[in-house]
Amino acid sequence: MALQIVEKCTNCWACMPLCPTEAIYEAKPHFLIDQKKCTECEGHFADPQCANICPIEEAIVNAFGTPFNPLGSLTGIPPEKLASAMAEIQAR
């Protein structure tokens, strides 16, 4: 029962101060979660605070590798439309 921060993390520091068990630590190239300390905020909060605050889609995953914030969940852009949206942004 522990979360994992994966390589999509940008080290924005949003999650680190919110962790009630101080399981998140700075590493290279991105933050990591100490599996022995992480309780997924059980006993402290209803939801994992790191996943709630994380502004990067697919940066935090559960034990099964399922992202808490899947593609499109934060931007509102469905994954199938993301490529065309990115092309439009880059064309500006």
Side-chain angles (χ1 to χ4, degrees):
M1 178 169 97
L3 305 180
Q4 185 176 23
I5 298 175
V6 296
E7 54 278 342
K8 288 195 174 192
C9 172
T10 62
N11 286 352
C12 74
W13 290 85
C15 62
M16 194 174 189
L18 297 181
C19 183
T21 60
E22 299 180 353
I24 299 171
Y25 62 97
E26 186 178 12
K28 292 184 180 174
H30 57 82
F31 283 106
L32 295 174
I33 296 177
D34 183 335
Q35 303 294 296
K36 293 177 184 172
K37 290 183 177 181
C38 180
T39 63
E40 297 186 18
C41 294
E42 191 172 296
H44 299 277
F45 300 98
D47 298 310
Q49 297 301 286
C50 59
N52 282 349
I53 195 69
C54 184
I56 309 299
E57 294 176 340
E58 297 186 323
I60 300 178
V61 300
N62 65 18
F64 303 107
T66 305
F68 276 89
N69 299 316
L71 284 177
S73 65
L74 300 177
T75 62
I77 302 170
E80 58 274 4
K81 293 186 179 184
L82 184 59
S84 63
M86 290 304 292
E88 180 182 332
I89 290 169
Q90 290 175 350
R92 293 180 187 175

